Amino acid sequence: MKKYILILIGLITFSCSDFLEEEVFTQYAPDAFLASESGINATLTAAYRQSRPNYREEWFTFGEWTSDLMLERGGGYAAPAATFAEFNWNESNNFFRNVWRDRYSAIGVANSILDNIDNVTSLSASKVASLKAEATFLRAYNYVILYDFFGALPLIVSGELDLNPSRATDAETKAFIESELTSAAQNLPVEPEIYGKATKSAALSLLGRFYLDTKQWQKAADTNKQVIDLGKHSLFPNVEGVFSVENEGNAEMIFVFGSLATAPIQALAWNYTPHAYPVGYQTGQVNYGAQFQLWRWFVNSFHADDQRANEYDPPNGKYGWILKQYINKGGEQINLMTDPITAGVEKKYPRPVKFTPDPNGLGPRHGNDMPILRYAEVLINRAEALNEISGPNQESIDLLNEVRRRSNAPDYILSDYPTKESLRDQILVERGWEFHAEGHRRRSLIRHGSFISGAKARGKTNAQAHHVLFPIPEQELDSNSALEQNPGY
Amino acid sequence: MARLNYSFKDKYLFTASIRRDGTSRFSDKYKYATFPSASLGWKLSSEPFMESNELFSELKLRAGYGEIGNQGIQNFETITTFQAGSNAILGGTTVSGAVPARIANQDLKWETTKEVNIGVDFSIANNRFSGSIDYFDRNTYDQLFQQPVPLTTGFSSVRTNFGQVKNSGVDFSFSSRNVDKEWTWDTDIVMSFLKNEVVELPTFAAEVISGSFGFSGNYRITQVGSPILSFYGYELNGIFQEGDDIAGSAQPNALPGHPKFVDQDDNNKIDGDDRVILGDPFADFTFGITNRFGYKDFSLEIYIQGVQGIENFSNLAAESLYPINKERNHLAIHYLDRWTTSNTDAAYPSGVNYTSYSDGTNKVNTYTVQDASFMRIKNITLNYNLPLTNVDFIKSGNVYISGENLLTVAPDYVGFDPDGNSDGTGISRADFANYPLSRIIRIGCKLNF
């Protein structure tokens, strides 16, 4: 006998699908969001945030350890810093990937503004033009940084997805950056709407720097002159206070990224100072294992009257740019200029503390704004460009002296510099005194042709001509077959 | 969902089901998917022609096919949105920002796994020896995966349905009553053989290199013909000795004592193209053996487990051989047996000027991708049942001593626990100073009143 057992447990089908339609509350639909003033403003804010440099990588790892004025010892960061100091980097180094990623991410945010801002109807045409100019400036700023590190670039100018962009030519990249900054300068306000936002002088100063770095001397001289002629900026009278929190917004600062000690995340505070504080520095101050230091010869090279070499010694009421001695937690007197250096430890070099430590700092977080462009550079940039055009001239000397007088350094005299080369060399030295620890050094040395030769002279035998550019990051080459690596890598 | 069960004479068994699932995470065209499954069973031992057989007390053949879906992604991945984030300091205060959240992929659909399995259950000689053997072939199609994209897009990856991954293998399970007299001895054995292979990848991602762990990056690759997330790096071939033709080698700047990388493409240069697969995170073979002995009131149980043919990426070795800082995270072995002019057949390089031969993914090499095969005496328990028949107020009782993790043999592994994974619970395996397994000795007594 056959026996059947049949069990039908259930049959249910869903015929309605409305409840699966996603209504988005925590996230914003782009069309409506970017058509509103608040949406554009929020996205522009993010573009400022993402354009803010990782100062440790861009200024110090790339800009200073590869150069002649500074050294790093200690901390989890010692090996990567040594890689750069010894010219041992290669395409797989994550620092390249990080800056490439962060800068292109910022460019993507700026693109989303520029793609959509013409749909905003609630704003006046002039307001739209000025917002557009801000986004254009920020996008160009990121391209300037990337061009400095990597050379010719894939130019991503819209949000349209491109999975295989190739590099534009060097000429195309430069022309793009120049036209973008020129257009931004035309439409940006002279007075910033809010402190920290881009202005006409920011765009012109960045363009002036870019012309100088790309050796377009006449344009560099003219563009920096435009900033001077705006009459908006002047040197802060007291060199010791240029970067202090209490003097934020002073007329020397052309473009900064704002910081707050109370910022919700560390990346929005200035946490450089713990790198500068030496081992065992005063109780109550945070210091990091990774120690950022100046070579002693460099500190000794300042003129005796030059206030840029003034000491930082708060217990004795001194707030200069360089920490030379201190009493450590153990009560010992440490002299960073004369104590013997212990091989393998090497943490007894003087410290650059020009970014005057914030008295209201919270742990590692200080409130100092990040200076990107300042008037002293505009003056020296024009001085250098004029010397390249026509050799030593009184105007160059006067521009340099304007900077030197601010720190009580004696004037240069034209007759001391008979050749273009002699003044060029002196300008490079002057830049070290004025801009050390601001991430300028690598660019300056490359422009002056001494980045590689100087490294070799310091015993960095790995340094080769192709090291003036960094390699395109390996991961990017892996994911984009249209990219070509820089020669030599 | 619907299900049908059918059984004929208790010899032929059939089950089928079908389900239709929907999720809001996918776009309209792919919200719903249908997943059928079916299985067949045949109890041979109940057939008339098996009645005279004395060997098998039970014999059953099984076969099955099933599909299941996976929607394990985040919400909104099919639509472009902006989300709050990237605040900036403007005008001396924190101002809120908003950023594009992702590259949207409107074509995302259900990941589907289709499995075929064939098995046999058997029992021999009056259940003296029993077991089962299962072969399975599990293919996952349209796997939901983060596909790396060029960073110039402003993003690092986009969620994609991604090719086909095949897992196939055989599982064995046996139980045997070896001795069943005054003293007894039972043995249980489970064994599993597994092979994982990426069968198909989309043309836009012929290979996907990924992974970031500690200070090491890009240590794994997914490519057709190899297991998913295989370890990818540089093969080493010894150490440069004094007198070697270093200048004429692919590493002209190396020093004696530096590791020699294999120049896979013979272009006399060591670069990213010389990377090869150094291992994978899937065990070829795992087993567990339990032996139980009994004599009167004594019993002894021994459990041994083993894993063979599995590798991991040791970030611990990477940090030890290529220290980010001389003051942290070193293993002694890399220094005790390092190359010096008087220890030229050392296992490890000199460590002198190591930044010149280790940077980024160079760290992923034969030293740091290690064989994590091991065998472990997981547990031994000796038990004695107390002879309490004459005691009124205690029903039963026993005393025991047991030890866990008593011995691990991992001949090619350097680290604390070859079975540990510091890289989460997914497929990927990396070792970074896993907390070592504790060895536990228990002595106990149990009484029932």
Coordinates of all heavy atoms in Angstrom, one line a residue, chain B residues 361-438:
Chain B
T361 N 55.0 47.8 0.5 CA 54.7 46.4 0.3 C 55.9 45.5 0.2 O 55.7 44.3 0.2 CB 53.8 46.2 -1.0 OG1 54.6 46.8 -2.0 CG2 52.5 46.9 -0.9
N362 N 57.1 46.0 0.2 CA 58.2 45.1 0.2 C 58.2 44.3 1.5 O 58.8 43.2 1.6 CB 59.5 45.8 0.2 CG 59.8 46.5 -1.1 OD1 58.9 46.5 -2.0 ND2 61.0 46.9 -1.4
K363 N 57.5 44.8 2.5 CA 57.4 44.1 3.8 C 56.6 42.8 3.6 O 56.7 41.9 4.5 CB 56.6 45.0 4.8 CG 57.3 46.1 5.3 CD 56.4 46.8 6.3 CE 56.9 48.1 6.7 NZ 55.9 48.9 7.5
V364 N 55.8 42.7 2.6 CA 55.0 41.5 2.4 C 55.8 40.6 1.6 O 56.0 40.8 0.4 CB 53.6 41.8 1.7 CG1 52.8 40.6 1.6 CG2 52.9 42.9 2.4
N365 N 56.4 39.6 2.2 CA 57.4 38.8 1.5 C 57.4 37.4 2.3 O 56.7 37.1 3.2 CB 58.8 39.4 1.5 CG 59.3 39.7 2.8 OD1 59.2 38.9 3.8 ND2 59.9 40.9 3.0
T366 N 58.3 36.6 1.8 CA 58.4 35.2 2.3 C 58.6 35.2 3.9 O 58.2 34.3 4.5 CB 59.6 34.5 1.6 OG1 59.5 34.7 0.2 CG2 59.4 33.0 1.9
Y367 N 59.2 36.3 4.4 CA 59.4 36.3 5.9 C 58.1 36.5 6.6 O 57.9 36.1 7.7 CB 60.4 37.4 6.3 CG 61.8 37.2 5.9 CD1 62.5 38.2 5.2 CD2 62.5 36.0 6.1 CE1 63.9 38.0 4.9 CE2 63.8 35.8 5.8 CZ 64.5 36.8 5.1 OH 65.8 36.6 4.8
T368 N 57.3 37.4 6.0 CA 56.1 37.9 6.8 C 54.8 37.1 6.4 O 53.9 37.2 7.2 CB 56.0 39.4 6.6 OG1 55.9 39.7 5.2 CG2 57.1 40.1 7.2
V369 N 54.8 36.5 5.3 CA 53.7 35.6 5.0 C 54.1 34.2 5.4 O 55.0 33.6 4.8 CB 53.3 35.7 3.5 CG1 52.2 34.6 3.2 CG2 52.8 37.0 3.1
Q370 N 53.5 33.7 6.5 CA 54.1 32.5 7.0 C 53.0 31.4 7.1 O 51.9 31.6 7.1 CB 54.7 32.8 8.4 CG 53.8 33.5 9.3 CD 54.5 33.8 10.7 OE1 55.6 33.3 10.9 NE2 53.8 34.5 11.5
D371 N 53.6 30.2 7.0 CA 52.8 29.0 7.1 C 52.2 28.9 8.5 O 53.0 28.7 9.5 CB 53.6 27.8 6.8 CG 52.8 26.5 6.7 OD1 51.7 26.5 7.2 OD2 53.3 25.5 6.2
A372 N 50.9 29.0 8.7 CA 50.3 28.9 10.0 C 49.7 27.5 10.3 O 48.8 27.4 11.1 CB 49.3 30.0 10.2
S373 N 50.2 26.5 9.6 CA 49.7 25.2 9.9 C 50.0 24.8 11.3 O 51.1 25.1 11.8 CB 50.3 24.1 9.0 OG 50.0 24.5 7.6
F374 N 49.1 24.0 12.0 CA 49.5 23.6 13.4 C 48.7 22.4 13.7 O 47.7 22.0 13.1 CB 49.2 24.8 14.3 CG 47.7 25.0 14.5 CD1 47.0 24.4 15.6 CD2 47.0 25.9 13.7 CE1 45.6 24.6 15.8 CE2 45.6 26.1 13.9 CZ 45.0 25.5 14.9
M375 N 49.2 21.7 14.8 CA 48.4 20.7 15.4 C 48.4 21.0 16.9 O 49.4 21.4 17.4 CB 49.2 19.3 15.1 CG 48.3 18.2 15.1 SD 49.1 16.7 14.6 CE 49.9 16.3 16.1
R376 N 47.3 20.7 17.5 CA 47.2 21.2 18.9 C 46.5 20.1 19.7 O 45.4 19.5 19.3 CB 46.4 22.5 18.9 CG 46.0 22.9 20.3 CD 45.3 24.3 20.3 NE 46.3 25.3 19.9 CZ 46.0 26.5 19.4 NH1 44.7 26.8 19.1 NH2 46.9 27.4 19.1
I377 N 47.0 19.8 20.9 CA 46.3 18.9 21.8 C 45.4 19.9 22.6 O 45.8 20.7 23.4 CB 47.3 18.2 22.8 CG1 48.2 17.3 22.0 CG2 46.5 17.4 23.8 CD1 49.2 16.6 22.9
K378 N 44.2 19.9 22.1 CA 43.2 20.9 22.6 C 42.7 20.6 24.0 O 42.5 21.5 24.8 CB 42.0 20.9 21.6 CG 41.0 22.0 21.9 CD 41.5 23.4 21.5 CE 40.5 24.4 21.9 NZ 41.1 25.8 21.9
N379 N 42.5 19.3 24.2 CA 41.9 19.0 25.5 C 42.2 17.5 25.9 O 42.2 16.6 25.1 CB 40.4 19.1 25.5 CG 39.7 19.0 26.8 OD1 39.7 17.9 27.4 ND2 39.2 20.1 27.3
I380 N 42.6 17.3 27.2 CA 42.7 16.0 27.8 C 41.9 16.0 29.1 O 42.1 16.9 29.9 CB 44.1 15.5 28.0 CG1 44.9 15.5 26.7 CG2 44.2 14.2 28.7 CD1 46.4 15.1 26.9
T381 N 41.0 15.0 29.3 CA 40.3 15.0 30.5 C 40.3 13.5 31.1 O 40.0 12.6 30.4 CB 38.8 15.3 30.3 OG1 38.7 16.6 29.7 CG2 38.0 15.3 31.6
L382 N 40.7 13.5 32.3 CA 40.7 12.2 33.0 C 39.7 12.2 34.1 O 39.7 13.2 34.9 CB 42.1 11.9 33.6 CG 42.2 10.6 34.4 CD1 42.1 9.4 33.6 CD2 43.6 10.6 35.1
N383 N 38.8 11.3 34.0 CA 37.6 11.3 34.9 C 37.5 10.0 35.7 O 37.8 8.9 35.2 CB 36.3 11.5 34.1 CG 35.1 11.6 34.9 OD1 35.0 12.6 35.7 ND2 34.2 10.7 34.8
Y384 N 37.1 10.2 37.0 CA 36.9 9.0 37.8 C 35.5 9.1 38.5 O 35.2 10.1 39.2 CB 38.0 8.9 38.8 CG 37.8 7.7 39.8 CD1 37.7 6.4 39.4 CD2 37.6 8.0 41.2 CE1 37.5 5.4 40.3 CE2 37.4 6.9 42.1 CZ 37.4 5.6 41.6 OH 37.2 4.6 42.5
N385 N 34.6 8.1 38.2 CA 33.3 8.1 38.8 C 33.4 7.5 40.2 O 33.9 6.4 40.3 CB 32.3 7.3 38.0 CG 31.9 8.1 36.7 OD1 31.9 9.3 36.7 ND2 31.7 7.3 35.6
L386 N 33.0 8.3 41.2 CA 33.2 7.8 42.6 C 32.3 6.6 42.8 O 31.1 6.6 42.5 CB 32.9 8.9 43.5 CG 33.9 10.1 43.4 CD1 33.3 11.3 44.2 CD2 35.3 9.8 43.9
P387 N 32.8 5.6 43.5 CA 32.0 4.4 43.8 C 31.2 4.7 45.1 O 31.6 4.5 46.2 CB 33.0 3.3 44.1 CG 34.2 4.0 44.4 CD 34.2 5.4 43.9
L388 N 30.0 5.3 44.9 CA 29.2 5.8 46.0 C 27.9 5.1 46.3 O 27.0 5.6 46.9 CB 28.9 7.3 45.8 CG 30.1 8.3 45.7 CD1 29.7 9.6 45.1 CD2 30.8 8.4 47.0
T389 N 27.9 3.8 45.8 CA 26.6 3.1 45.9 C 26.2 2.9 47.3 O 25.0 2.7 47.6 CB 26.8 1.7 45.2 OG1 28.1 1.2 45.5 CG2 26.7 1.9 43.7
N390 N 27.2 2.9 48.2 CA 26.8 2.7 49.6 C 26.5 3.9 50.4 O 26.2 3.9 51.6 CB 27.9 1.9 50.3 CG 28.2 0.6 49.7 OD1 27.2 0.0 49.2 ND2 29.4 0.1 49.6
V391 N 26.6 5.1 49.7 CA 26.4 6.3 50.5 C 25.0 6.8 50.2 O 24.6 7.0 49.0 CB 27.4 7.4 50.0 CG1 27.2 8.7 50.8 CG2 28.8 6.9 50.1
D392 N 24.2 7.0 51.2 CA 22.8 7.2 51.0 C 22.5 8.6 50.5 O 21.7 8.9 49.6 CB 22.0 7.1 52.4 CG 22.0 5.7 52.8 OD1 22.2 4.8 51.9 OD2 21.8 5.4 54.0
F393 N 23.2 9.6 51.0 CA 22.8 11.0 50.7 C 23.5 11.5 49.5 O 23.2 12.6 49.1 CB 23.1 11.9 51.9 CG 24.6 11.9 52.3 CD1 25.4 12.9 51.8 CD2 25.1 10.9 53.2 CE1 26.7 12.9 52.2 CE2 26.4 11.0 53.5 CZ 27.3 12.0 53.1
I394 N 24.3 10.8 48.8 CA 24.9 11.2 47.5 C 24.5 10.2 46.4 O 24.7 9.0 46.6 CB 26.4 11.3 47.6 CG1 26.8 12.3 48.7 CG2 27.0 11.8 46.2 CD1 28.3 12.4 48.9
K395 N 23.9 10.8 45.4 CA 23.4 9.9 44.3 C 24.6 9.4 43.5 O 24.7 8.2 43.2 CB 22.4 10.6 43.4 CG 21.0 10.7 44.0 CD 20.0 11.2 42.9 CE 18.8 11.8 43.6 NZ 18.3 13.0 42.9
S396 N 25.4 10.4 43.0 CA 26.5 10.1 42.2 C 27.6 11.1 42.3 O 27.3 12.2 42.8 CB 26.1 9.9 40.7 OG 25.7 11.2 40.2
G397 N 28.8 10.8 41.9 CA 29.8 11.9 42.0 C 31.0 11.5 41.1 O 31.2 10.3 40.8
N398 N 31.8 12.5 40.7 CA 33.0 12.2 40.0 C 34.1 13.2 40.3 O 33.7 14.3 40.7 CB 32.7 12.1 38.5 CG 32.2 13.4 37.9 OD1 31.4 14.0 38.4 ND2 32.8 13.7 36.7
V399 N 35.3 12.8 40.1 CA 36.4 13.8 40.2 C 37.1 13.7 38.8 O 37.1 12.7 38.1 CB 37.4 13.4 41.3 CG1 36.7 13.6 42.6 CG2 37.9 12.0 41.1
Y400 N 37.7 14.9 38.4 CA 38.3 14.9 37.1 C 39.5 15.9 37.1 O 39.6 16.8 38.0 CB 37.3 15.3 36.0 CG 36.8 16.7 36.2 CD1 37.4 17.8 35.5 CD2 35.6 16.9 36.9 CE1 36.9 19.1 35.7 CE2 35.1 18.2 37.1 CZ 35.8 19.3 36.4 OH 35.3 20.5 36.6
I401 N 40.4 15.7 36.2 CA 41.4 16.7 35.9 C 41.4 16.8 34.4 O 41.4 15.9 33.6 CB 42.8 16.2 36.5 CG1 43.9 17.2 36.0 CG2 43.1 14.8 36.0 CD1 45.1 17.0 36.8
S402 N 41.4 18.1 34.0 CA 41.4 18.3 32.5 C 42.4 19.4 32.2 O 42.6 20.3 33.0 CB 40.0 18.6 32.0 OG 39.7 20.0 32.2
G403 N 43.0 19.3 31.0 CA 43.9 20.4 30.5 C 43.4 20.9 29.2 O 43.1 20.0 28.3
E404 N 43.5 22.2 28.9 CA 43.1 22.7 27.6 C 44.3 23.4 27.0 O 45.2 24.0 27.7 CB 42.0 23.8 27.8 CG 40.6 23.4 27.4 CD 39.6 24.5 27.6 OE1 39.7 25.5 26.9 OE2 38.8 24.3 28.6
N405 N 44.4 23.3 25.7 CA 45.5 23.9 25.0 C 46.9 23.5 25.5 O 47.7 24.3 25.8 CB 45.4 25.4 25.0 CG 44.1 25.9 24.5 OD1 43.6 25.4 23.5 ND2 43.5 26.9 25.2
L406 N 47.0 22.2 25.6 CA 48.2 21.7 26.3 C 49.5 21.8 25.5 O 50.6 22.0 26.0 CB 48.0 20.2 26.8 CG 46.9 20.1 27.9 CD1 46.6 18.6 28.1 CD2 47.4 20.8 29.1
L407 N 49.3 21.6 24.2 CA 50.5 21.6 23.3 C 50.1 22.1 21.9 O 49.1 21.6 21.4 CB 51.2 20.2 23.3 CG 52.4 20.1 22.3 CD1 53.6 20.9 22.9 CD2 52.7 18.6 22.2
T408 N 50.9 23.0 21.3 CA 50.6 23.4 20.0 C 51.9 23.2 19.2 O 53.0 23.7 19.6 CB 50.2 24.9 19.9 OG1 49.0 25.0 20.6 CG2 49.9 25.3 18.4
V409 N 51.9 22.5 18.1 CA 53.0 22.3 17.3 C 52.8 23.0 16.0 O 51.9 22.7 15.2 CB 53.3 20.8 17.0 CG1 54.5 20.6 16.1 CG2 53.4 20.0 18.3
A410 N 53.6 24.1 15.7 CA 53.5 24.9 14.5 C 54.9 25.2 14.0 O 55.4 26.2 14.3 CB 52.7 26.2 14.8
P411 N 55.4 24.2 13.3 CA 56.9 24.3 13.0 C 57.3 25.5 12.2 O 58.4 25.9 12.4 CB 57.1 23.0 12.2 CG 55.8 22.5 11.8 CD 54.8 23.0 12.7
D412 N 56.4 26.1 11.3 CA 56.9 27.1 10.5 C 56.3 28.5 10.9 O 56.4 29.4 10.1 CB 56.5 26.8 9.0 CG 57.1 25.6 8.6 OD1 58.3 25.4 8.8 OD2 56.4 24.7 7.9
Y413 N 55.8 28.6 12.1 CA 55.1 29.8 12.5 C 55.9 30.5 13.6 O 56.3 29.9 14.5 CB 53.7 29.4 13.0 CG 53.0 30.5 13.6 CD1 52.3 31.5 12.9 CD2 53.0 30.6 15.0 CE1 51.6 32.6 13.6 CE2 52.3 31.7 15.7 CZ 51.7 32.6 14.9 OH 51.0 33.7 15.6
V414 N 56.0 31.8 13.4 CA 56.6 32.6 14.5 C 55.6 33.6 15.0 O 55.0 34.4 14.2 CB 57.8 33.5 13.9 CG1 58.4 34.4 14.9 CG2 58.9 32.5 13.3
G415 N 55.3 33.5 16.3 CA 54.2 34.4 16.8 C 53.6 33.7 18.0 O 54.2 32.8 18.6
F416 N 52.5 34.2 18.4 CA 51.9 33.7 19.7 C 50.8 32.6 19.5 O 50.7 31.7 20.2 CB 51.3 34.8 20.5 CG 52.3 35.8 20.9 CD1 52.2 37.2 20.5 CD2 53.4 35.5 21.6 CE1 53.2 38.1 20.9 CE2 54.4 36.4 22.0 CZ 54.3 37.7 21.6
D417 N 50.0 32.8 18.4 CA 48.9 31.8 18.2 C 48.7 31.6 16.7 O 48.1 32.5 16.1 CB 47.6 32.3 18.9 CG 46.4 31.3 18.7 OD1 46.7 30.2 18.2 OD2 45.3 31.7 19.0
P418 N 49.0 30.5 16.2 CA 48.9 30.3 14.7 C 47.4 30.4 14.3 O 47.1 30.6 13.1 CB 49.5 28.9 14.4 CG 49.5 28.2 15.8 CD 49.6 29.3 16.8
D419 N 46.5 30.1 15.2 CA 45.1 30.1 14.9 C 44.4 31.5 15.0 O 43.3 31.7 14.7 CB 44.4 29.1 15.8 CG 43.1 28.7 15.2 OD1 42.9 28.7 14.0 OD2 42.2 28.3 16.0
G420 N 45.2 32.4 15.6 CA 44.6 33.7 15.9 C 44.5 34.6 14.6 O 45.2 34.3 13.6
N421 N 43.6 35.5 14.6 CA 43.5 36.5 13.5 C 43.2 37.8 14.1 O 42.2 38.1 14.7 CB 42.3 36.0 12.6 CG 42.3 36.8 11.3 OD1 43.1 37.7 11.1 ND2 41.3 36.6 10.5
S422 N 44.1 38.7 13.8 CA 44.0 40.1 14.3 C 43.2 41.0 13.3 O 43.0 42.1 13.5 CB 45.3 40.8 14.5 OG 46.2 39.9 15.2
D423 N 42.8 40.4 12.2 CA 42.1 41.1 11.1 C 40.6 40.9 11.1 O 40.0 40.7 10.1 CB 42.7 40.8 9.8 CG 42.5 41.8 8.7 OD1 42.0 42.9 9.1 OD2 42.8 41.6 7.5
G424 N 40.0 40.7 12.3 CA 38.6 40.6 12.4 C 38.2 39.2 12.1 O 38.9 38.2 12.2
T425 N 36.9 39.0 11.7 CA 36.3 37.7 11.6 C 36.1 37.3 10.2 O 35.5 36.2 9.9 CB 35.0 37.6 12.4 OG1 34.2 38.7 11.9 CG2 35.2 37.8 13.9
G426 N 36.5 38.1 9.2 CA 36.2 37.8 7.8 C 37.2 36.8 7.3 O 37.9 36.1 8.1
I427 N 37.3 36.7 6.0 CA 38.2 35.8 5.3 C 39.7 36.2 5.6 O 40.5 35.3 5.8 CB 37.9 35.8 3.8 CG1 36.5 35.1 3.6 CG2 39.0 35.0 3.1 CD1 36.0 35.3 2.1
S428 N 39.9 37.5 5.5 CA 41.3 37.9 5.6 C 42.0 37.5 6.9 O 41.3 37.5 7.9 CB 41.3 39.4 5.4 OG 42.6 39.9 5.4
R429 N 43.2 37.2 6.8 CA 43.9 36.8 8.0 C 45.2 37.6 8.1 O 46.0 37.7 7.2 CB 44.3 35.3 7.9 CG 43.2 34.4 8.3 CD 43.6 33.0 8.0 NE 44.7 32.6 8.9 CZ 44.6 32.1 10.1 NH1 43.4 31.8 10.6 NH2 45.7 31.7 10.8
A430 N 45.4 38.2 9.3 CA 46.7 38.9 9.6 C 46.9 38.7 11.1 O 46.0 38.5 11.9 CB 46.6 40.4 9.3
D431 N 48.2 38.6 11.4 CA 48.6 38.3 12.7 C 49.4 39.6 13.3 O 50.3 40.0 12.6 CB 49.6 37.1 12.7 CG 50.0 36.7 14.1 OD1 49.5 37.3 15.0 OD2 50.9 35.8 14.2
F432 N 48.9 40.1 14.4 CA 49.6 41.2 15.0 C 49.6 41.0 16.5 O 48.7 41.5 17.1 CB 49.0 42.5 14.5 CG 49.9 43.7 15.0 CD1 51.3 43.5 15.1 CD2 49.4 44.9 15.2 CE1 52.1 44.6 15.4 CE2 50.2 46.0 15.6 CZ 51.5 45.8 15.7
A433 N 50.5 40.2 17.0 CA 50.6 40.0 18.4 C 49.2 39.6 19.0 O 48.8 40.2 20.0 CB 51.1 41.2 19.1
N434 N 48.6 38.6 18.5 CA 47.4 38.0 19.1 C 47.7 37.7 20.5 O 48.7 37.1 20.9 CB 47.0 36.7 18.4 CG 46.5 37.0 17.0 OD1 45.5 37.7 16.9 ND2 47.2 36.5 16.0
Y435 N 46.7 37.9 21.3 CA 46.8 37.5 22.7 C 46.9 36.0 22.7 O 46.1 35.3 22.1 CB 45.5 37.9 23.5 CG 45.8 37.9 25.0 CD1 46.5 38.9 25.6 CD2 45.4 36.8 25.7 CE1 46.7 38.9 27.0 CE2 45.6 36.8 27.1 CZ 46.3 37.8 27.7 OH 46.5 37.8 29.0
P436 N 48.0 35.5 23.4 CA 48.2 34.0 23.3 C 47.1 33.2 24.0 O 46.4 33.7 24.9 CB 49.5 33.8 24.1 CG 50.0 35.1 24.4 CD 49.0 36.1 24.2
L437 N 46.8 32.0 23.5 CA 45.8 31.2 24.1 C 46.3 30.8 25.5 O 47.4 30.5 25.7 CB 45.7 29.9 23.3 CG 44.7 29.9 22.1 CD1 44.6 28.5 21.6 CD2 43.4 30.4 22.5
S438 N 45.4 30.8 26.4 CA 45.8 30.4 27.8 C 45.7 28.9 27.9 O 44.8 28.3 27.3 CB 45.0 31.1 28.8 OG 43.7 31.2 28.4

